[in-house]
Amino acid sequence: MIRISITDDHELFRSGIAMLLEKSDDISIVHQSSSAEQLIDHLKEAPVDISLIDISMGETNGLDALKLIKKAAPEVRCIILTMHNEGQYVVQAIRNGAWGYLLKDCDAPELITAITKVYNGKKYFNSDVSDLMIEGVSSESNIQNLSKREKEVLQHVAKGLRTKEIAEQLIVSTRTIETHRSNILKKLNVQNTAELISKATQLGLL
């Protein structure tokens, strides 16, 4: 019997997943939690084999929860179950100790397959998540390739400054700023300022 815990701050989602998994003869839902802190308390009282964890929660997000669980209950294997389909989340989850990463729109058979594989000591990342992982690693590489000046320009763009205003502040020509901005767009693989700010925020650059 595979012992499962479910941690998500949405009670309806937790209950739905629990009902779905309890249809399997091989799975037992030991406890449900609305936060990472509550999960840690539950694990002290009733150990589990697999912990399903969302990323977006209250005080402690799921990525940080992975590190807490690794210290408090290293025998527990965690699978992230989330709506976040950004590469940097996948990369960070793996670094923090996740055994699997699933999006919330996955179907029941895939969820059970992931649980079974992780229980048997194998990591689980489907092809879509693997693509996100590659994208995340690529984005991190591009971040490292941003020059100090490009990061400065990015900060000014995020503040809403126009090219001429940025040029005046950095004491360079507008053409130089346009070149930096073009390079930043290419390195972060975005098409416009709105996408740039969104991507830079996700990557922790702003």
Side-chain angles (χ1 to χ4, degrees):
M1 186 68 73
I2 306 174
R3 300 168 298 172
I4 300 288
S5 73
I6 304 169
T7 303
D8 193 292
D9 59 359
H10 291 90
E11 184 178 357
L12 284 176
F13 181 78
R14 292 198 314 267
S15 300
I17 292 296
M19 289 177 62
L20 184 155
L21 292 177
E22 284 175 338
K23 294 178 181 179
S24 172
D25 295 332
D26 301 322
I27 292 175
S28 171
I29 305 301
V30 177
H31 43 69
Q32 300 179 43
S33 307
S34 61
S35 67
E37 291 77 15
Q38 192 176 58
L39 170 60
I40 297 297
D41 288 339
H42 282 157
L43 289 175
K44 293 175 183 175
E45 300 170 1
V48 300
D49 303 301
I50 306 290
S51 184
L52 303 178
I53 305 173
D54 188 19
I55 287 180
S56 296
M57 295 190 289
E59 188 174 338
T60 304
N61 66 47
L63 297 176
D64 290 334
L66 290 170
K67 293 187 284 188
L68 295 176
I69 295 166
K70 200 171 183 179
K71 290 181 180 178
E75 71 282 358
V76 177
R77 295 172 181 173
C78 299
I79 297 174
I80 291 292
L81 181 59
T82 183
M83 59 182 281
H84 290 289
N85 61 347
E86 293 89 10
Q88 71 271 18
Y89 285 112
V90 181
V91 173
Q92 194 60 52
I94 293 170
R95 286 180 175 160
N96 289 4
W99 281 68
Y101 193 107
L102 286 169
L103 299 178
K104 285 185 174 180
D105 60 0
C106 70
D107 56 26
E110 181 176 25
L111 178 56
I112 292 174
T113 294
I115 288 171
T116 302
K117 286 196 172 185
V118 169
Y119 178 74
N120 290 321
K122 297 180 180 179
K123 302 287 181 73
Y124 185 85
F125 305 98
N126 66 21
S127 58
D128 291 337
V129 171
S130 295
D131 288 342
L132 291 174
M133 191 189 315
I134 293 170
E135 175 191 308
V137 172
S138 176
S139 293
E140 285 192 349
S141 175
N142 289 336
I143 289 173
Q144 293 172 358
N145 288 333
L146 285 180
S147 69
K148 182 178 178 181
R149 179 63 88 183
E150 286 168 348
K151 290 178 181 177
E152 288 178 330
V153 171
L154 175 58
Q155 294 291 331
H156 287 305
V157 170
K159 292 176 183 176
L161 272 64
R162 286 178 268 183
T163 299
K164 184 179 180 181
E165 293 171 319
I166 299 173
E168 290 173 351
Q169 288 215 14
L170 299 182
I171 317 175
V172 295
S173 68
T174 55
R175 186 167 183 176
T176 296
I177 297 301
E178 288 172 354
T179 299
H180 284 316
R181 185 178 180 281
S182 176
N183 288 338
I184 296 168
L185 291 173
K186 289 178 183 177
K187 289 181 179 181
L188 295 188
N189 192 28
V190 292
Q191 303 299 317
N192 53 51
T193 301
E195 289 183 10
L196 172 62
I197 293 174
S198 176
K199 184 76 170 282
T201 301
Q202 290 174 6
L203 295 173
L205 291 172
L206 299 175

